[in-house]
Amino acid sequence: IESIQPVKAALASGDAKAALEMLNRTRPRMFGAVGLPDIDGILPDGRRLGVEVKWGKDRQSDEQKVCQTVYDARGGVYIVARDVDTTIAELKRRAIVVKP
């Protein structure tokens, strides 16, 4: 489907089955630019935070490495997150407050 409007209309009319069928025919869409981190935000001190989530044998693409270089060069924080404990340790190492 090209628009979410038919799905909304089906749900509004009470036809959940039709809405589900439409959603099952959808294709994934890409948002943002190639290379941007999976999680992006602004830290309380104004620095930009980028977290690239990797799983298993996943590796950064060349575009992601360029993005990391840009974050680092401009004082931002870019982390490649492979597990929660290591990510929290890296945030603490960079003096970012992590609440339990």
Side-chain angles (χ1 to χ4, degrees), residues 7-55:
V7 176
K8 286 182 174 181
L11 288 172
S13 71
D15 193 351
K17 182 179 177 183
L20 183 58
E21 287 173 0
M22 283 184 259
L23 287 173
N24 284 335
R25 291 191 311 263
T26 62
R27 290 172 284 173
R29 305 268 189 224
M30 184 172 173
F31 296 94
V34 174
L36 290 179
D38 296 312
I39 302 168
D40 186 52
I42 305 295
L43 295 167
D45 63 7
R47 291 180 294 166
R48 187 162 205 138
L49 171 66
V51 180
E52 180 60 37
V53 179
K54 294 296 179 191
W55 185 258

Side-chain angles (χ1 to χ4, degrees), residues 16-93:
K17 182 179 177 183
L20 183 58
E21 287 173 0
M22 283 184 259
L23 287 173
N24 284 335
R25 291 191 311 263
T26 62
R27 290 172 284 173
R29 305 268 189 224
M30 184 172 173
F31 296 94
V34 174
L36 290 179
D38 296 312
I39 302 168
D40 186 52
I42 305 295
L43 295 167
D45 63 7
R47 291 180 294 166
R48 187 162 205 138
L49 171 66
V51 180
E52 180 60 37
V53 179
K54 294 296 179 191
W55 185 258
K57 294 182 180 182
D58 285 348
R59 300 283 178 246
Q60 278 182 293
S61 68
D62 290 340
E63 294 86 0
Q64 290 167 338
K65 290 176 183 177
V66 168
C67 187
Q68 181 174 8
T69 299
V70 171
Y71 270 64
D72 293 343
R74 291 189 167 87
V77 175
Y78 186 103
I79 296 170
V80 178
R82 293 199 166 274
D83 63 76
V84 173
D85 293 335
T86 305
T87 302
I88 290 172
E90 181 64 13
L91 289 168
K92 288 179 178 178
R93 185 184 76 77

